[in-house]
Amino acid sequence: MNNLPNLEDLNVFVHVVRRSGFASAASELGMSTAFISKRIRLLEQNLGVRLLHRTTRRVSVSEDGERVYQWALRILDSVQRMGDEVSALHREPSGQLRIASSLGLGRRFVAPALSELAARHPQLDIRLDVQDRLVDLLDEGFDLDVRVGNEISPHLIAKPLARNRRVLCAAPAYLERRGTPRSLAELAGHDCLVIKERDHPFGVWHLQGPGGEESVKVTGPLSSNHGEVVHQWCIDGRGILLRSWWDVHDSLADGRLQRVLPEYQQPADIWAVYTAPLAGSAKVRVAVEFLRQYFTERYSLPDA
């Protein structure tokens, strides 16, 4: 083969095969039959094979022609998808953008970020749904889920927005009254504030410590599916809380809460989760890039 096949010739060949004839393909493409015949001859010369068997009544595909036909379909499809993706990268994002998030993260952090995103891209119609459960992006029609936690289904695509971890904390009044636990096992004897929120295993805390991952079963007189409610109970001195750094760092900084067993933590980064490559959707790509910049600039995680 001296020359690479022309893409237009491959397209003509595909139409001839599909229509089983030159005249039908010429009519569909808006070309003359003679031009179609010429392009097929040039393609056969370039490839060095006979693609079609021609009779006065019909055109049939040779064995080599069938192989070239399958390759042509893949090549033309790839070229089309390349063009679609490049176009999407430079297209102004528009249309409805449906985003899901958890109750606390969504209200306190995602909502303000989306307010700025809407100001920058007025052609977007943004809808935020806050849920106390994981959503099914495809079945429920969401473009994007902003979530906390590192366990993400392999059939989804995830991009990190910010580093985060869950830490143990309690109010000074509680620790003065009940004492400070010295080991993870001692948590079983304390009042623990349990959250049933999205991916939290209810009543079981899995934490990383000096010896690797450990688990402890915890109980307490108060539990809720809303993290902000439990956060307030913790400030009120009602028990020990396992909560994301982004949620409790202000309370730790001003002394309303203090760390408990600081050598233990639970990795829980903030992720953008979606179902298809970003190059195929301008609105999702712009949203993910903006959220990543927004969270990185405002919520840096300390090393200790």
Side-chain angles (χ1 to χ4, degrees):
M1 184 173 67
N2 297 324
N3 299 300
L4 292 174
N6 182 284
L7 286 177
E8 183 59 32
D9 290 348
L10 290 177
N11 184 52
V12 167
F13 174 62
V14 165
H15 278 77
V16 170
V17 173
R18 285 175 173 170
R19 303 296 294 181
S20 299
F22 285 24
S24 297
S27 176
E28 187 171 56
L29 292 170
M31 302 172 179
S32 69
T33 303
F35 182 79
I36 294 291
S37 179
K38 177 182 177 181
R39 299 319 306 179
I40 294 298
R41 284 198 307 272
L42 289 173
L43 182 60
E44 288 179 325
Q45 291 172 11
N46 281 339
L47 295 175
V49 297
R50 189 175 186 85
L51 300 174
L52 301 169
H53 299 300
R54 305 164 179 84
T55 68
T56 55
R57 291 190 172 185
R58 62 189 299 269
V59 171
S60 61
V61 186
S62 69
E63 183 177 346
D64 286 326
E66 182 61 38
R67 189 174 296 109
V68 171
Y69 175 72
Q70 296 300 326
W71 272 104
L73 290 176
R74 291 195 290 269
I75 291 168
L76 293 171
D77 179 66
S78 294
V79 171
Q80 178 65 46
R81 286 190 288 111
M82 177 189 70
D84 291 343
E85 289 190 4
V86 170
S87 175
L89 286 172
H90 296 281
R91 193 163 55 236
E92 173 65 21
S94 62
Q96 186 177 75
L97 178 66
R98 292 195 64 201
I99 299 177
S101 191
S102 60
L103 295 171
L105 180 68
R107 188 188 72 80
R108 289 191 58 195
F109 298 97
V110 180
L114 295 182
S115 178
E116 289 194 20
L117 178 63
R120 294 191 185 186
H121 298 282
Q123 298 304 313
L124 284 176
D125 176 13
I126 301 173
R127 173 174 172 176
L128 172 64
D129 284 65
V130 290
Q131 309 273 358
D132 63 354
R133 61 177 177 81
L134 287 176
V135 299
D136 187 313
L137 292 172
L138 287 175
D139 286 350
E140 299 182 55
F142 286 102
D143 299 296
L144 181 65
D145 184 15
V146 182
R147 68 174 65 167
V148 177
N150 293 5
E151 294 184 6
I152 299 171
S153 174
H155 76 277
L156 297 171
I157 304 172
K159 187 168 187 175
L161 299 178
R163 292 173 55 241
N164 179 56
R165 59 173 173 258
R166 296 185 179 110
V167 297
L168 295 162
C169 52
Y174 174 85
L175 298 175
E176 183 178 347
R177 185 175 74 254
R178 295 291 305 275
T180 301
R182 302 300 177 187
S183 68
L184 203 62
E186 289 185 20
L187 290 177
H190 278 265
D191 292 337
C192 293
L193 301 167
V194 182
I195 304 172
K196 178 57 178 174
E197 183 183 52
R198 281 200 156 200
D199 59 339
H200 285 226
F202 190 73
V204 179
W205 289 349
H206 304 285
L207 297 112
Q208 294 286 341
E213 183 174 303
E214 298 181 50
S215 299
V216 60
K217 175 71 175 176
V218 296
T219 59
L222 292 170
S223 64
S224 174
N225 71 331
H226 201 301
E228 293 181 32
V229 170
V230 180
H231 184 177
Q232 185 58 52
W233 286 340
C234 189
I235 292 173
D236 293 341
R238 302 295 179 238
I240 297 173
L241 175 65
L242 176 66
R243 190 63 176 159
S244 282
W245 175 262
W246 58 260
D247 187 49
V248 298
H249 71 277
D250 286 343
S251 299
L252 291 169
D254 63 22
R256 290 180 295 169
L257 297 179
Q258 63 186 64
R259 292 282 298 274
V260 174
L261 298 172
E263 66 273 22
Y264 287 93
Q265 62 181 30
Q266 187 182 82
D269 296 328
I270 302 173
W271 298 84
V273 181
Y274 41 96
T275 60
L278 293 178
S281 174
K283 62 182 180 181
V284 178
R285 174 181 56 82
V286 164
V288 171
E289 291 175 354
F290 175 81
L291 289 170
R292 188 167 185 266
Q293 180 181 10
Y294 183 93
F295 280 110
T296 300
E297 290 176 354
R298 291 164 176 78
Y299 308 115
S300 59
L301 183 70
D303 294 329

